[in-house]
Amino acid sequence: VRALLARQKSDRRGDTARAAALRSILSAHPETPVVAFTQFAETVRAVQRALADIARVGALTGKHGWIASGPITRQDVLAHFAPVAQGRPPPPSHQRIRLLLTTDLLAEGVNLQDAGVVVHLDVPWTDALRRQRVGRCVRVGSPHAEVVVYAFQPPADVEAVLRLHARLHRKARLASR
């Protein structure tokens, strides 16, 4: 695991597969703010690296917020992405964040109804968390008649590992009987 983490950190391209899909989503919804959720701060950083050539991308993890020019506060990230929801005046268009990459830090208790597209960059551990992610945008006061939701499926090799893990747990329970 340490070797894989070191390899990911050294990869300057970031997460190219998910970044390519996000580029398509942005093209399909040219004027709509998009929020992309993941469980992991590393995923936020990897996708942000892969989208470094796109303007108006912001990132927010538990500890830090970033835009292309560098770090900014959590409050500024939220105000630049969802000013209506934050009760702030809209920023100038060149400061507006169009794509917000974030961890599940924002899945609870934060209004993001300015966004009209929600992307699940990974599969949340529970259905309740998936609903909470979408619920940040499906709010009274949203300017969108509907919120579009995209969900990325785990890579096939991850599914195989999860099946193997479940099988091992089943065998361990049988052995303990």
Side-chain angles (χ1 to χ4, degrees):
V1 171
R2 285 188 187 108
L4 287 171
L5 285 172
R7 180 176 168 205
Q8 176 62 26
K9 285 181 181 179
S10 68
D11 184 358
R12 293 292 177 201
R13 293 173 299 150
D15 190 332
T16 55
R18 285 187 268 205
L22 283 169
R23 288 174 194 276
S24 295
I25 291 168
L26 289 170
S27 293
H29 306 278
E31 298 301 319
T32 307
V34 177
V35 60
F37 287 100
T38 180
Q39 298 172 69
F40 307 106
E42 276 301 317
T43 301
V44 170
R45 288 188 283 275
V47 173
Q48 185 187 29
R49 281 194 308 271
L51 296 173
D53 61 317
I54 295 179
R56 299 173 51 206
V57 174
L60 185 62
T61 64
K63 298 178 182 176
H64 306 286
W66 301 272
I67 55 174
S69 60
I72 63 173
T73 67
R74 171 189 164 105
Q75 292 79 15
D76 285 341
V77 169
L78 293 173
H80 290 189
F81 178 71
V84 172
Q86 306 308 309
R88 307 273 294 272
S93 62
H94 69 281
Q95 290 182 354
R96 183 83 190 246
I97 294 174
R98 176 153 178 256
L99 169 62
L100 178 60
L101 307 167
T102 187
T103 60
D104 286 324
L105 156 87
L106 291 185
E108 291 184 50
V110 178
N111 293 329
L112 298 173
Q113 66 259 36
D114 298 55
V117 176
V118 175
V119 179
H120 301 288
L121 293 173
D122 52 26
V123 179
W125 287 108
T126 66
D127 187 57
L129 182 55
R130 181 187 57 78
R131 287 191 314 260
Q132 286 173 339
R133 287 174 172 181
V134 175
R136 300 303 98 213
C137 303
V138 178
R139 298 272 175 148
V140 172
S142 172
H144 309 286
E146 66 180 15
V147 173
V148 180
V149 179
Y150 293 90
F152 293 6
Q153 296 301 317
D157 57 341
V158 171
E159 288 184 28
V161 170
L162 291 174
R163 282 193 305 273
L164 174 62
H165 186 62
R167 190 175 327 127
L168 290 173
H169 274 318
R170 249 189 336 271
K171 288 180 179 182
R173 283 193 307 271
L174 289 171
S176 69
R177 288 186 195 162

